[in-house]
Each structure stands twice: as structure tokens, then as C-alpha cells.
Amino acid sequence: MAVGIFDSGLGGLTVYDAVSKAMPDTAFSYFGDNAHAPYGVRDAEDVFDLTCRGVERLWEEGCDLVILACNTASAVALKRMQESWVPVETKRVLGVFVPMIEALTERQWGDNSPPREVAVKHVALFATPATVASRAFQRELAYRAIGVDVEAQPCGGVVDAIEEGDEILAEALVRSHVEALLRRMPKPEAAVLGCTHYPLMTATFQAALGPGVTVYSQADLVAASLADYLARHPNFVGSGTEAKLLTTGDPARVSNKATQFLRRRIAFEQA
Ligand code: DGL
């Protein structure tokens, strides 16, 4: 048994890396649906079906707890999965959205008090077209904070470029998406990289946004939130120590890219 980490492709590795470093004694298995990435241009039905299939594969590996390290799946499919699909007597599926919003709104995990004013007033959100269209970020934010202006930029093409390993294209796209957002909101105080692929481009986002903008690191926030969750639900920790990394894509190619991104040897096998 291990804790499962799911993503449409390589992006969830940013979360995988953070949680493995924060909890070195916990085993994490990974499922990357590289054959079907990007999810961010798919419709809700498609994202739901693909996410359920990936989560089932992690359940087969003994991962009773699965983290959707994919904002698109968290925004578009998670609510429906939790309400009508996950057998909650034995399994849990959690997303990556809420920890980030809790940090932005200065809340402790699971604080259900009414929404209140927070320090950050102007937030730039960068996410996939599906995540932006879902408005899930704004909805979750409104439960916790008042008076926060969110400007969202759908970053078409960035996930494809990262999955293809075309760094030059990815950088050019990030710069143009940041410019487009800054035309609508010239002075954001905070930027949220609302797609787990984007931290692989943090330096480009930060350079384009300028030094005055705080870029929130979703991976570290998710790691802190997961550590807290596992302390309260130790039955989901599992006793395994062997992590399996599965991909629906070409294992050799995905292993190479993953090794390059995380700067340590990562070996994927066929899902
Ligand atoms: N890493 C996924 C996310 O966080 C990327 C989605 C995609 O495949 O487009 O949204």
C-alpha cells in the first residue's frame, strides 16, 4: 500500500517531488496519463472518465488514498467523483486546489468559519482553459475570502509544450500569457500557478511578472496539507516503501523527461 499521486502527465511530478521530500518514510506511487495529456482542452465528461480510470489503476496498486495532483481534474471532476463514485468506506480522493486557497486566505486546514477580508486583494491565476472555465478557483475562494479580485488567464499550449519537451515554446507561451494578464491587471500582488505543470516554468513566470509579485508554490502547500491529513488519518499512510511510477505513455521517454525535470533518476513503467 502507498499513497497515490495522479496527473494527466508530467506536472504532478512537482507534487510527487514535494511530498516525497516532506515525508521520506511514506511510499508514493504515481500515475501519469501521458498518452491522454493535455486534459485542459478536454470536456468535463472526458476528464471525469480518464481521471476515474487513472485512480482505479492506483487503487489496484493498493493506494486507498489518491491525490489528484492535477488542477484540471480537481476543478472539473473531483466533486462528481466524491459525490457519486468514490467508495468512501474504504477510499479517499483529494484535490490540490483547496490547500492553495487556504494558504492564500491565511487559513488553517479545514477552517470553516465565514469568509473574511484577507491581505491579498489582486490575484493573478494561471491555469488550463478547462480549469479557468470551471471557475472552481473563484468559487472556493469566495467561501473563504471577501474583496479579492481574481484575474484568470487560460494558458493554452503550455502543457503541450512541456509534455513535448519544447522548452523554448513553453517559455514564449508563458511570457505571452503573463503579458496578456498584466494588460488586464497591471499590479497583481500574488500569482497562483494553478496547473501542476507550471512550476516547471516558475523562473519564467517570476521573471515575466516581476519581483513584486509573490508566486505561490502549490506543491509545497499540498505537501504540508497532506502531512497534516495523514497525521489525522494514519490508516491511509500504508506500510509500503516501494514507489511505483506508472505511465500510459512511453515509459522510456517519460522517464527521461521526469529525470530531467526532477534532476534525479526517475524510472517509469507501463501502466
Ligand atoms: N497538471 C495538470 C493541471 O494541473 C495539467 C492539465 C492538462 O493536462 O492540461 O491542470
PDB file of all heavy atoms in Angstrom, residues 152-165:
ATOM      1  N   ALA A 152      -8.090  35.723 -14.274  1.00  0.00           N
ATOM      2  CA  ALA A 152      -7.627  34.390 -14.681  1.00  0.00           C
ATOM      3  C   ALA A 152      -7.175  34.381 -16.130  1.00  0.00           C
ATOM      4  O   ALA A 152      -7.838  34.951 -17.005  1.00  0.00           O
ATOM      5  CB  ALA A 152      -8.753  33.383 -14.483  1.00  0.00           C
ATOM      6  N   GLN A 153      -6.060  33.720 -16.384  1.00  0.00           N
ATOM      7  CA  GLN A 153      -5.538  33.618 -17.741  1.00  0.00           C
ATOM      8  C   GLN A 153      -5.485  32.137 -18.149  1.00  0.00           C
ATOM      9  O   GLN A 153      -4.730  31.360 -17.558  1.00  0.00           O
ATOM     10  CB  GLN A 153      -4.125  34.221 -17.799  1.00  0.00           C
ATOM     11  CG  GLN A 153      -3.425  34.079 -19.128  1.00  0.00           C
ATOM     12  CD  GLN A 153      -4.071  34.910 -20.239  1.00  0.00           C
ATOM     13  OE1 GLN A 153      -4.749  35.907 -19.976  1.00  0.00           O
ATOM     14  NE2 GLN A 153      -3.894  34.488 -21.479  1.00  0.00           N
ATOM     15  N   PRO A 154      -6.296  31.742 -19.143  1.00  0.00           N
ATOM     16  CA  PRO A 154      -6.176  30.370 -19.639  1.00  0.00           C
ATOM     17  C   PRO A 154      -4.898  30.250 -20.474  1.00  0.00           C
ATOM     18  O   PRO A 154      -4.737  30.969 -21.453  1.00  0.00           O
ATOM     19  CB  PRO A 154      -7.433  30.184 -20.512  1.00  0.00           C
ATOM     20  CG  PRO A 154      -7.948  31.554 -20.797  1.00  0.00           C
ATOM     21  CD  PRO A 154      -7.315  32.529 -19.844  1.00  0.00           C
ATOM     22  N   CYS A 155      -4.005  29.381 -20.051  1.00  0.00           N
ATOM     23  CA  CYS A 155      -2.679  29.317 -20.682  1.00  0.00           C
ATOM     24  C   CYS A 155      -2.626  28.205 -21.720  1.00  0.00           C
ATOM     25  O   CYS A 155      -1.942  27.181 -21.520  1.00  0.00           O
ATOM     26  CB  CYS A 155      -1.599  29.129 -19.631  1.00  0.00           C
ATOM     27  SG  CYS A 155      -1.516  30.483 -18.457  1.00  0.00           S
ATOM     28  N   GLY A 156      -3.357  28.405 -22.815  1.00  0.00           N
ATOM     29  CA  GLY A 156      -3.373  27.403 -23.893  1.00  0.00           C
ATOM     30  C   GLY A 156      -1.968  27.085 -24.379  1.00  0.00           C
ATOM     31  O   GLY A 156      -1.129  27.977 -24.494  1.00  0.00           O
ATOM     32  N   GLY A 157      -1.703  25.810 -24.618  1.00  0.00           N
ATOM     33  CA  GLY A 157      -0.457  25.387 -25.265  1.00  0.00           C
ATOM     34  C   GLY A 157       0.695  25.077 -24.331  1.00  0.00           C
ATOM     35  O   GLY A 157       1.627  24.364 -24.711  1.00  0.00           O
ATOM     36  N   VAL A 158       0.661  25.591 -23.090  1.00  0.00           N
ATOM     37  CA  VAL A 158       1.839  25.440 -22.221  1.00  0.00           C
ATOM     38  C   VAL A 158       2.049  23.973 -21.828  1.00  0.00           C
ATOM     39  O   VAL A 158       3.175  23.459 -21.885  1.00  0.00           O
ATOM     40  CB  VAL A 158       1.727  26.356 -20.967  1.00  0.00           C
ATOM     41  CG1 VAL A 158       2.887  26.122 -20.023  1.00  0.00           C
ATOM     42  CG2 VAL A 158       1.671  27.824 -21.385  1.00  0.00           C
ATOM     43  N   VAL A 159       0.963  23.292 -21.444  1.00  0.00           N
ATOM     44  CA  VAL A 159       1.107  21.875 -21.044  1.00  0.00           C
ATOM     45  C   VAL A 159       1.612  21.040 -22.235  1.00  0.00           C
ATOM     46  O   VAL A 159       2.518  20.217 -22.080  1.00  0.00           O
ATOM     47  CB  VAL A 159      -0.228  21.312 -20.491  1.00  0.00           C
ATOM     48  CG1 VAL A 159      -0.163  19.796 -20.338  1.00  0.00           C
ATOM     49  CG2 VAL A 159      -0.543  21.955 -19.138  1.00  0.00           C
ATOM     50  N   ASP A 160       1.053  21.276 -23.421  1.00  0.00           N
ATOM     51  CA  ASP A 160       1.520  20.514 -24.602  1.00  0.00           C
ATOM     52  C   ASP A 160       3.018  20.708 -24.812  1.00  0.00           C
ATOM     53  O   ASP A 160       3.749  19.744 -25.064  1.00  0.00           O
ATOM     54  CB  ASP A 160       0.841  20.978 -25.900  1.00  0.00           C
ATOM     55  CG  ASP A 160      -0.648  21.126 -25.791  1.00  0.00           C
ATOM     56  OD1 ASP A 160      -1.121  21.812 -24.863  1.00  0.00           O
ATOM     57  OD2 ASP A 160      -1.348  20.555 -26.618  1.00  0.00           O
ATOM     58  N   ALA A 161       3.462  21.967 -24.714  1.00  0.00           N
ATOM     59  CA  ALA A 161       4.884  22.258 -24.960  1.00  0.00           C
ATOM     60  C   ALA A 161       5.766  21.561 -23.929  1.00  0.00           C
ATOM     61  O   ALA A 161       6.816  21.005 -24.265  1.00  0.00           O
ATOM     62  CB  ALA A 161       5.117  23.771 -24.949  1.00  0.00           C
ATOM     63  N   ILE A 162       5.314  21.561 -22.651  1.00  0.00           N
ATOM     64  CA  ILE A 162       6.107  20.895 -21.602  1.00  0.00           C
ATOM     65  C   ILE A 162       6.132  19.391 -21.855  1.00  0.00           C
ATOM     66  O   ILE A 162       7.191  18.750 -21.783  1.00  0.00           O
ATOM     67  CB  ILE A 162       5.540  21.228 -20.194  1.00  0.00           C
ATOM     68  CG1 ILE A 162       5.748  22.707 -19.874  1.00  0.00           C
ATOM     69  CG2 ILE A 162       6.201  20.347 -19.125  1.00  0.00           C
ATOM     70  CD1 ILE A 162       5.058  23.197 -18.609  1.00  0.00           C
ATOM     71  N   GLU A 163       4.966  18.820 -22.168  1.00  0.00           N
ATOM     72  CA  GLU A 163       4.907  17.366 -22.419  1.00  0.00           C
ATOM     73  C   GLU A 163       5.786  16.986 -23.620  1.00  0.00           C
ATOM     74  O   GLU A 163       6.389  15.927 -23.642  1.00  0.00           O
ATOM     75  CB  GLU A 163       3.456  16.919 -22.680  1.00  0.00           C
ATOM     76  CG  GLU A 163       2.575  16.913 -21.439  1.00  0.00           C
ATOM     77  CD  GLU A 163       2.845  15.745 -20.480  1.00  0.00           C
ATOM     78  OE1 GLU A 163       3.132  14.630 -20.948  1.00  0.00           O
ATOM     79  OE2 GLU A 163       2.804  15.981 -19.252  1.00  0.00           O
ATOM     80  N   GLU A 164       5.852  17.882 -24.623  1.00  0.00           N
ATOM     81  CA  GLU A 164       6.673  17.619 -25.812  1.00  0.00           C
ATOM     82  C   GLU A 164       8.151  17.893 -25.563  1.00  0.00           C
ATOM     83  O   GLU A 164       8.992  17.603 -26.411  1.00  0.00           O
ATOM     84  CB  GLU A 164       6.200  18.505 -26.983  1.00  0.00           C
ATOM     85  CG  GLU A 164       4.864  18.112 -27.586  1.00  0.00           C
ATOM     86  CD  GLU A 164       4.860  16.674 -28.071  1.00  0.00           C
ATOM     87  OE1 GLU A 164       5.849  16.255 -28.712  1.00  0.00           O
ATOM     88  OE2 GLU A 164       3.885  15.956 -27.776  1.00  0.00           O
ATOM     89  N   GLY A 165       8.455  18.506 -24.431  1.00  0.00           N
ATOM     90  CA  GLY A 165       9.848  18.838 -24.128  1.00  0.00           C
ATOM     91  C   GLY A 165      10.341  20.043 -24.906  1.00  0.00           C
ATOM     92  O   GLY A 165      11.540  20.244 -25.058  1.00  0.00           O
TER      93      GLY A 165
END
